[in-house]
Coordinates of all heavy atoms in Angstrom, one line a residue:
M363 N -19.5 13.6 -55.6 CA -19.8 14.3 -54.3 C -21.0 13.9 -53.7 O -21.1 13.7 -52.5 CB -19.8 15.8 -54.8 CG -19.9 16.7 -53.5 SD -18.3 16.7 -52.6 CE -18.2 18.4 -52.3
A364 N -22.1 13.6 -54.5 CA -23.3 13.2 -53.9 C -23.2 11.8 -53.3 O -23.9 11.5 -52.3 CB -24.4 13.1 -55.1
T365 N -22.4 10.9 -53.9 CA -22.2 9.5 -53.3 C -21.5 9.7 -51.9 O -21.9 9.0 -51.0 CB -21.3 8.7 -54.2 OG1 -21.9 8.8 -55.6 CG2 -21.2 7.3 -53.8
R366 N -20.6 10.6 -51.8 CA -19.8 10.8 -50.6 C -20.8 11.3 -49.5 O -20.7 10.9 -48.3 CB -18.7 11.8 -50.8 CG -17.9 11.9 -49.5 CD -16.8 13.0 -49.7 NE -15.7 12.4 -50.4 CZ -14.6 13.1 -50.8 NH1 -14.5 14.3 -50.5 NH2 -13.6 12.5 -51.4
Q367 N -21.7 12.2 -49.8 CA -22.7 12.7 -48.9 C -23.6 11.6 -48.4 O -24.1 11.7 -47.3 CB -23.4 13.9 -49.5 CG -22.6 15.1 -49.7 CD -23.4 16.2 -50.3 OE1 -24.5 16.0 -50.8 NE2 -22.8 17.4 -50.3
R368 N -23.9 10.6 -49.2 CA -24.8 9.5 -48.8 C -24.0 8.5 -48.0 O -24.6 8.0 -47.0 CB -25.4 8.9 -50.0 CG -26.6 9.7 -50.6 CD -27.3 8.9 -51.7 NE -26.3 9.0 -52.9 CZ -26.4 8.1 -53.9 NH1 -27.3 7.2 -54.0 NH2 -25.5 8.3 -54.9
I369 N -22.8 8.2 -48.3 CA -22.1 7.2 -47.6 C -21.5 7.7 -46.3 O -21.5 6.8 -45.3 CB -20.9 6.7 -48.5 CG1 -21.4 6.1 -49.8 CG2 -19.9 5.8 -47.7 CD1 -20.3 5.7 -50.7
L370 N -21.1 8.9 -46.1 CA -20.5 9.4 -44.9 C -21.5 9.3 -43.7 O -21.0 8.7 -42.7 CB -20.2 10.9 -45.1 CG -19.3 11.5 -43.9 CD1 -18.1 10.8 -43.7 CD2 -19.1 13.0 -44.2
P371 N -22.8 9.6 -43.7 CA -23.6 9.4 -42.6 C -23.8 7.9 -42.2 O -23.8 7.5 -41.1 CB -25.0 10.0 -42.9 CG -24.7 10.9 -44.0 CD -23.5 10.4 -44.7
Q372 N -23.8 7.0 -43.3 CA -24.0 5.6 -43.0 C -22.7 5.1 -42.4 O -22.7 4.2 -41.5 CB -24.3 4.9 -44.3 CG -25.6 5.2 -44.9 CD -25.9 4.5 -46.2 OE1 -24.9 4.0 -46.9 NE2 -27.1 4.6 -46.8
L373 N -21.5 5.6 -42.9 CA -20.2 5.1 -42.2 C -20.1 5.5 -40.9 O -19.7 4.7 -40.0 CB -19.1 5.7 -43.1 CG -17.7 5.4 -42.7 CD1 -17.5 3.9 -42.8 CD2 -16.7 6.1 -43.4
I374 N -20.5 6.7 -40.5 CA -20.5 7.3 -39.1 C -21.4 6.4 -38.3 O -21.1 6.0 -37.1 CB -20.8 8.7 -39.0 CG1 -19.8 9.5 -39.7 CG2 -21.1 9.2 -37.6 CD1 -20.1 11.0 -39.8
C375 N -22.6 6.1 -38.8 CA -23.5 5.2 -38.1 C -23.0 3.8 -37.8 O -23.1 3.3 -36.7 CB -24.9 5.1 -38.8 SG -26.1 4.3 -37.9
C376 N -22.3 3.3 -38.8 CA -21.7 1.9 -38.7 C -20.6 2.0 -37.5 O -20.5 1.0 -36.8 CB -21.2 1.5 -40.0 SG -22.5 0.9 -41.1
V377 N -19.7 3.0 -37.7 CA -18.6 3.0 -36.8 C -19.1 3.3 -35.3 O -18.7 2.7 -34.4 CB -17.7 4.2 -37.2 CG1 -16.7 4.5 -36.1 CG2 -17.0 4.0 -38.5
A378 N -20.1 4.1 -35.1 CA -20.7 4.3 -33.8 C -21.4 3.0 -33.2 O -21.2 2.7 -32.1 CB -21.8 5.5 -33.8
T379 N -22.0 2.2 -34.1 CA -22.6 1.0 -33.7 C -21.5 0.0 -33.3 O -21.7 -0.7 -32.3 CB -23.5 0.5 -34.8 OG1 -24.5 1.4 -35.1 CG2 -24.2 -0.9 -34.3
A380 N -20.5 -0.1 -34.1 CA -19.4 -1.0 -33.9 C -18.7 -0.7 -32.5 O -18.4 -1.6 -31.7 CB -18.4 -1.0 -35.0
L381 N -18.5 0.7 -32.3 CA -17.8 1.1 -31.1 C -18.7 0.8 -29.8 O -18.2 0.3 -28.8 CB -17.4 2.5 -31.1 CG -16.3 2.9 -32.0 CD1 -16.1 4.4 -32.0 CD2 -15.1 2.3 -31.5
G382 N -20.0 1.0 -30.0 CA -21.0 0.7 -28.9 C -20.9 -0.9 -28.6 O -21.0 -1.2 -27.5
A383 N -20.9 -1.7 -29.7 CA -20.9 -3.1 -29.5 C -19.6 -3.6 -28.9 O -19.6 -4.5 -28.0 CB -21.1 -3.8 -30.8
I384 N -18.5 -3.0 -29.2 CA -17.2 -3.4 -28.7 C -17.0 -3.1 -27.2 O -16.6 -3.8 -26.4 CB -16.0 -2.8 -29.5 CG1 -16.0 -3.4 -30.9 CG2 -14.7 -3.0 -28.9 CD1 -15.0 -2.7 -31.8
S385 N -17.4 -1.8 -26.9 CA -17.3 -1.3 -25.5 C -18.2 -2.0 -24.6 O -18.0 -2.0 -23.4 CB -17.4 0.2 -25.5 OG -18.7 0.6 -25.8
G386 N -19.4 -2.4 -25.0 CA -20.3 -3.0 -24.2 C -21.2 -2.0 -23.4 O -20.8 -0.9 -23.3
C387 N -22.3 -2.5 -22.9 CA -23.2 -1.7 -22.2 C -23.4 -2.4 -20.8 O -23.9 -3.5 -20.7 CB -24.5 -1.6 -22.8 SG -24.4 -0.8 -24.4
T388 N -22.9 -1.7 -19.8 CA -23.1 -2.2 -18.5 C -23.2 -1.0 -17.5 O -22.9 0.1 -17.8 CB -21.8 -3.1 -18.0 OG1 -22.0 -3.6 -16.7 CG2 -20.6 -2.3 -18.0
T389 N -23.9 -1.4 -16.3 CA -24.0 -0.3 -15.4 C -22.8 -0.2 -14.5 O -22.1 -1.1 -14.3 CB -25.3 -0.6 -14.5 OG1 -25.1 -1.9 -13.9 CG2 -26.6 -0.7 -15.4
W390 N -22.6 1.0 -14.0 CA -21.5 1.2 -13.1 C -21.8 0.7 -11.7 O -22.9 1.0 -11.1 CB -21.3 2.7 -13.0 CG -20.0 3.0 -12.3 CD1 -19.9 3.3 -10.9 CD2 -18.7 3.2 -12.7 NE1 -18.7 3.5 -10.5 CE2 -17.8 3.4 -11.7 CE3 -18.1 3.0 -14.0 CZ2 -16.5 3.7 -11.8 CZ3 -16.7 3.3 -14.1 CH2 -16.0 3.5 -13.0
S391 N -21.1 -0.2 -11.2 CA -21.3 -0.7 -9.9 C -20.0 -0.7 -9.0 O -18.9 -0.8 -9.6 CB -21.8 -2.2 -10.0 OG -20.8 -3.0 -10.5
E392 N -20.2 -0.6 -7.7 CA -19.1 -0.5 -6.8 C -18.6 -2.0 -6.6 O -19.4 -2.9 -6.4 CB -19.4 0.1 -5.6 CG -19.7 1.6 -5.6 CD -20.0 2.2 -4.3 OE1 -19.5 1.6 -3.2 OE2 -20.7 3.2 -4.3
T393 N -17.3 -2.1 -6.6 CA -16.8 -3.4 -6.3 C -16.6 -3.6 -4.8 O -16.2 -2.7 -4.2 CB -15.4 -3.7 -7.1 OG1 -14.5 -2.7 -6.6 CG2 -15.6 -3.7 -8.6
K394 N -16.8 -4.8 -4.3 CA -16.7 -5.0 -2.9 C -15.3 -5.5 -2.7 O -14.8 -6.4 -3.3 CB -17.7 -6.1 -2.5 CG -19.1 -5.6 -2.5 CD -20.0 -6.6 -2.0 CE -21.5 -6.1 -2.1 NZ -22.5 -7.1 -1.7
M395 N -14.7 -4.9 -1.7 CA -13.3 -5.3 -1.3 C -13.4 -6.6 -0.5 O -14.1 -6.6 0.6 CB -12.6 -4.1 -0.6 CG -12.5 -2.9 -1.3 SD -11.3 -3.1 -2.7 CE -9.8 -3.2 -1.9
T396 N -12.6 -7.6 -0.8 CA -12.5 -8.7 0.0 C -11.3 -8.6 0.8 O -10.3 -8.0 0.4 CB -12.4 -10.0 -0.9 OG1 -11.3 -9.9 -1.7 CG2 -13.7 -10.1 -1.7
E397 N -11.4 -9.2 2.0 CA -10.2 -9.2 2.9 C -9.1 -10.1 2.4 O -9.4 -11.2 1.9 CB -10.6 -9.6 4.3 CG -11.5 -8.5 5.0 CD -11.8 -8.9 6.4 OE1 -11.0 -9.7 7.0 OE2 -12.8 -8.4 7.0
L398 N -7.8 -9.7 2.6 CA -6.8 -10.6 2.2 C -6.7 -11.8 3.1 O -6.9 -11.6 4.4 CB -5.4 -9.8 2.2 CG -5.3 -8.7 1.2 CD1 -4.1 -7.9 1.4 CD2 -5.4 -9.3 -0.2
P399 N -6.3 -12.9 2.7 CA -6.2 -14.0 3.6 C -5.0 -13.8 4.6 O -4.0 -13.1 4.2 CB -5.9 -15.2 2.7 CG -5.3 -14.6 1.4 CD -5.9 -13.3 1.3
I400 N -5.1 -14.3 5.8 CA -4.1 -14.2 6.8 C -2.9 -15.0 6.3 O -3.0 -16.2 6.1 CB -4.6 -14.6 8.1 CG1 -5.7 -13.7 8.6 CG2 -3.4 -14.6 9.1 CD1 -6.4 -14.2 9.9
P401 N -1.7 -14.4 6.2 CA -0.5 -15.2 5.7 C -0.1 -16.2 6.7 O -0.1 -15.9 7.9 CB 0.5 -14.1 5.5 CG 0.2 -12.9 6.3 CD -1.3 -13.0 6.5
R402 N 0.3 -17.3 6.3 CA 0.8 -18.4 7.1 C 2.2 -18.3 7.2 O 3.0 -18.2 6.2 CB 0.4 -19.8 6.6 CG -1.0 -20.0 6.5 CD -1.3 -21.4 6.0 NE -2.7 -21.7 5.9 CZ -3.2 -22.8 5.4 NH1 -2.4 -23.7 4.9 NH2 -4.5 -22.9 5.3
M403 N 2.7 -18.1 8.4 CA 4.2 -17.9 8.7 C 4.8 -19.2 9.0 O 4.2 -20.1 9.7 CB 4.4 -16.9 9.8 CG 3.8 -15.5 9.5 SD 4.1 -14.4 10.8 CE 5.8 -14.3 10.9
P404 N 6.0 -19.4 8.5 CA 6.7 -20.7 8.8 C 7.0 -20.7 10.4 O 7.1 -19.7 11.1 CB 8.0 -20.5 8.1 CG 7.8 -19.5 7.0 CD 6.7 -18.6 7.5
F405 N 7.1 -22.0 10.9 CA 7.3 -22.1 12.3 C 8.7 -21.5 12.8 O 8.8 -21.1 14.0 CB 7.2 -23.6 12.7 CG 8.4 -24.4 12.2 CD1 9.5 -24.6 13.0 CD2 8.3 -25.0 11.0 CE1 10.5 -25.4 12.5 CE2 9.3 -25.7 10.5 CZ 10.5 -26.0 11.3
D406 N 9.6 -21.3 11.9 CA 10.9 -20.8 12.4 C 11.1 -19.4 12.0 O 12.2 -18.8 11.9 CB 12.0 -21.7 11.7 CG 12.0 -21.7 10.2 OD1 10.9 -21.2 9.6 OD2 12.9 -22.1 9.6
S407 N 10.0 -18.6 11.8 CA 10.1 -17.3 11.4 C 10.1 -16.3 12.6 O 9.7 -16.7 13.7 CB 8.9 -16.9 10.5 OG 7.7 -16.9 11.2
V408 N 10.5 -15.1 12.4 CA 10.5 -14.1 13.4 C 9.9 -12.8 13.0 O 10.1 -12.4 11.8 CB 12.1 -13.7 13.9 CG1 12.2 -12.7 14.9 CG2 12.8 -15.0 14.3
V409 N 9.1 -12.2 13.8 CA 8.4 -10.9 13.4 C 9.2 -9.9 14.1 O 9.5 -9.8 15.3 CB 7.0 -11.0 13.9 CG1 6.4 -9.6 13.6 CG2 6.2 -12.1 13.2
L410 N 9.5 -8.8 13.3 CA 10.2 -7.6 13.9 C 9.5 -6.4 13.6 O 9.1 -6.1 12.4 CB 11.6 -7.6 13.2 CG 12.5 -6.4 13.6 CD1 12.9 -6.6 15.1 CD2 13.7 -6.3 12.7
E411 N 9.2 -5.6 14.6 CA 8.4 -4.3 14.4 C 9.4 -3.2 14.4 O 10.4 -3.2 15.2 CB 7.4 -4.1 15.5 CG 6.2 -5.0 15.4 CD 5.1 -4.7 16.3 OE1 4.9 -3.5 16.6 OE2 4.5 -5.6 16.8
A412 N 9.3 -2.2 13.5 CA 10.1 -1.1 13.5 C 9.3 0.2 13.5 O 8.2 0.2 12.9 CB 11.0 -1.1 12.3
A413 N 9.7 1.2 14.1 CA 9.0 2.4 14.2 C 10.1 3.6 14.0 O 11.2 3.5 14.5 CB 8.3 2.6 15.4
F414 N 9.6 4.7 13.4 CA 10.5 5.9 13.3 C 9.9 7.0 14.3 O 8.7 7.2 14.3 CB 10.5 6.4 11.9 CG 11.1 5.5 10.9 CD1 10.4 4.6 10.2 CD2 12.5 5.5 10.7 CE1 11.0 3.7 9.3 CE2 13.1 4.6 9.9 CZ 12.4 3.7 9.1
V415 N 10.8 7.6 15.0 CA 10.5 8.5 16.0 C 11.3 9.9 15.7 O 12.5 9.8 15.5 CB 10.8 8.1 17.5 CG1 10.4 9.2 18.5 CG2 10.0 6.8 17.8
R416 N 10.6 10.9 15.6 CA 11.2 12.3 15.4 C 11.6 12.8 16.8 O 10.8 12.9 17.7 CB 10.3 13.3 14.7 CG 10.0 12.8 13.3 CD 9.1 13.8 12.7 NE 8.6 13.4 11.4 CZ 9.1 13.9 10.3 NH1 10.0 14.8 10.3 NH2 8.7 13.4 9.1
V417 N 12.9 13.1 16.9 CA 13.4 13.6 18.2 C 13.9 15.1 17.9 O 14.7 15.3 17.0 CB 14.6 12.7 18.6 CG1 15.2 13.3 19.9 CG2 14.1 11.2 18.8
P418 N 13.5 16.0 18.8 CA 14.0 17.4 18.6 C 15.5 17.4 18.7 O 16.1 16.6 19.6 CB 13.3 18.2 19.7 CG 12.1 17.3 20.2 CD 12.5 15.9 19.9
P419 N 16.2 18.3 18.1 CA 17.6 18.3 18.1 C 18.2 18.6 19.5 O 19.3 18.2 19.8 CB 18.1 19.4 17.1 CG 16.8 19.8 16.4 CD 15.7 19.2 17.1
D420 N 17.5 19.4 20.3 CA 18.0 19.8 21.6 C 17.8 18.7 22.7 O 18.3 18.9 23.8 CB 17.4 21.1 22.0 CG 15.8 21.0 22.1 OD1 15.3 20.1 21.5 OD2 15.3 21.8 22.8
Q421 N 17.1 17.6 22.4 CA 16.8 16.6 23.3 C 18.0 15.5 23.3 O 18.4 15.1 22.3 CB 15.5 15.9 23.1 CG 15.1 14.9 24.2 CD 13.8 14.3 24.0 OE1 13.0 14.6 23.1 NE2 13.3 13.4 24.9
S422 N 18.4 15.2 24.5 CA 19.4 14.2 24.6 C 18.9 12.8 24.3 O 17.8 12.4 24.9 CB 20.0 14.2 26.1 OG 20.9 13.1 26.2
L423 N 19.6 12.0 23.5 CA 19.1 10.6 23.2 C 19.3 9.7 24.5 O 18.6 8.8 24.5 CB 19.9 10.1 22.0 CG 19.5 10.8 20.7 CD1 20.4 10.1 19.6 CD2 18.1 10.7 20.3
G424 N 20.2 10.1 25.3 CA 20.4 9.2 26.5 C 19.1 9.3 27.4 O 18.7 8.3 27.9
E425 N 18.6 10.5 27.5 CA 17.4 10.6 28.4 C 16.2 9.8 27.7 O 15.4 9.1 28.4 CB 16.9 12.1 28.4 CG 17.9 13.0 29.2 CD 17.4 14.5 29.1 OE1 16.4 14.7 28.6 OE2 18.3 15.3 29.5
L426 N 16.0 10.0 26.4 CA 15.0 9.3 25.7 C 15.1 7.8 25.8 O 14.2 7.1 26.0 CB 15.0 9.7 24.2 CG 13.9 9.1 23.3 CD1 12.6 9.6 23.8 CD2 14.1 9.5 21.9
W427 N 16.3 7.3 25.6 CA 16.5 5.8 25.6 C 16.2 5.3 27.0 O 15.7 4.2 27.1 CB 17.9 5.5 25.2 CG 18.2 4.1 25.1 CD1 19.0 3.3 26.0 CD2 17.7 3.2 24.1 NE1 18.8 1.9 25.5 CE2 18.1 1.9 24.4 CE3 16.8 3.4 23.1 CZ2 17.7 0.8 23.7 CZ3 16.4 2.3 22.3 CH2 16.9 1.0 22.7
Q428 N 16.6 6.0 28.1 CA 16.2 5.5 29.4 C 14.7 5.4 29.6 O 14.2 4.5 30.3 CB 16.8 6.5 30.5 CG 18.2 6.4 30.6 CD 18.8 7.4 31.6 OE1 18.1 8.1 32.2 NE2 20.1 7.3 31.9
Q429 N 14.0 6.2 28.9 CA 12.5 6.2 29.1 C 11.9 5.0 28.3 O 10.9 4.4 28.6 CB 11.8 7.5 28.7 CG 12.2 8.6 29.6 CD 11.7 9.9 29.1 OE1 11.0 9.9 28.0 NE2 12.0 11.0 29.8
I430 N 12.5 4.7 27.1 CA 11.8 3.7 26.3 C 12.4 2.3 26.3 O 11.9 1.4 25.7 CB 11.8 4.2 24.7 CG1 13.2 4.4 24.3 CG2 11.0 5.4 24.6 CD1 13.3 4.7 22.8
D431 N 13.6 2.2 27.0 CA 14.4 0.9 27.0 C 13.5 -0.1 27.8 O 13.1 0.2 28.9 CB 15.7 1.1 27.6 CG 16.5 -0.2 27.6 OD1 16.1 -1.1 26.8 OD2 17.6 -0.2 28.3
E432 N 13.2 -1.2 27.2 CA 12.4 -2.2 27.9 C 13.3 -3.3 28.6 O 12.8 -4.1 29.3 CB 11.5 -2.9 26.9 CG 10.4 -1.9 26.3 CD 9.6 -2.6 25.3 OE1 9.7 -3.9 25.1 OE2 8.6 -2.0 24.9
K433 N 14.6 -3.3 28.4 CA 15.4 -4.3 28.9 C 15.9 -4.0 30.4 O 15.8 -4.9 31.2 CB 16.7 -4.5 28.1 CG 16.5 -5.0 26.7 CD 17.8 -5.3 26.1 CE 17.8 -4.4 24.8 NZ 19.1 -4.5 24.2
H434 N 16.2 -2.8 30.6 CA 16.7 -2.3 32.0 C 17.7 -3.2 32.5 O 17.8 -3.6 33.6 CB 15.5 -2.3 33.0 CG 14.3 -1.5 32.5 ND1 14.4 -0.1 32.5 CD2 13.1 -1.7 32.1 CE1 13.3 0.5 32.1 NE2 12.5 -0.5 31.9
L435 N 18.7 -3.6 31.6 CA 19.8 -4.4 32.0 C 21.0 -3.4 32.1 O 21.2 -2.5 31.4 CB 20.2 -5.5 31.0 CG 19.0 -6.5 30.9 CD1 19.4 -7.5 29.7 CD2 18.8 -7.3 32.1
E436 N 21.9 -3.8 33.1 CA 23.2 -3.0 33.3 C 24.0 -3.3 32.0 O 23.9 -4.3 31.3 CB 23.9 -3.5 34.5 CG 23.1 -3.2 35.7 CD 22.9 -1.7 36.1 OE1 23.9 -0.9 35.7 OE2 21.9 -1.3 36.5
A437 N 25.0 -2.3 31.7 CA 25.8 -2.4 30.6 C 26.7 -3.7 30.6 O 26.9 -4.3 29.6 CB 26.6 -1.1 30.5
E438 N 27.2 -4.0 31.8 CA 28.0 -5.2 32.0 C 27.3 -6.5 31.7 O 27.7 -7.4 31.1 CB 28.7 -5.2 33.4 CG 29.7 -6.3 33.5 CD 30.9 -6.2 32.7 OE1 31.3 -5.1 32.4 OE2 31.4 -7.2 32.3
T439 N 26.0 -6.5 32.1 CA 25.2 -7.7 31.9 C 24.9 -7.9 30.4 O 25.0 -9.0 29.9 CB 23.9 -7.6 32.7 OG1 24.2 -7.3 34.0 CG2 23.1 -8.8 32.5
R440 N 24.7 -6.7 29.7 CA 24.4 -6.8 28.3 C 25.6 -7.2 27.5 O 25.5 -7.9 26.6 CB 23.9 -5.4 27.8 CG 22.5 -5.0 28.1 CD 22.0 -3.9 27.3 NE 22.7 -2.7 27.5 CZ 22.4 -1.6 28.3 NH1 21.3 -1.7 29.1 NH2 23.1 -0.6 28.4
R441 N 26.8 -6.8 27.9 CA 28.0 -7.2 27.3 C 28.2 -8.7 27.5 O 28.6 -9.4 26.5 CB 29.2 -6.4 27.8 CG 29.4 -5.1 27.2 CD 30.8 -4.5 27.5 NE 30.8 -4.1 28.9 CZ 30.5 -2.8 29.2 NH1 30.2 -2.0 28.4 NH2 30.6 -2.5 30.6
N442 N 27.9 -9.2 28.6 CA 28.1 -10.7 28.8 C 27.1 -11.5 28.0 O 27.4 -12.6 27.7 CB 27.9 -11.0 30.3 CG 29.1 -10.5 31.1 OD1 30.2 -10.2 30.6 ND2 28.9 -10.2 32.4
L443 N 25.9 -10.9 27.8 CA 24.9 -11.7 27.0 C 25.4 -11.7 25.6 O 25.2 -12.7 24.8 CB 23.6 -11.1 27.1 CG 22.9 -11.1 28.5 CD1 21.6 -10.3 28.5 CD2 22.6 -12.6 28.8

């Protein structure tokens, strides 16, 4: 029993020292964010933008489409294209 009482504090001290050595001692510092490089796009690539729009259920989609349509082409002309 006396041997165990002498060894236990030494064992705890050794384990604490080993854990301290393994974990290392360093100061907490903020890492600086670097900007991502601009991706190089192939010459034959196409970029497509998409957006989601919430439309109230009582609003007609025909009215909305007339306001946001950028083509302004007649239906017959669009069919021919």
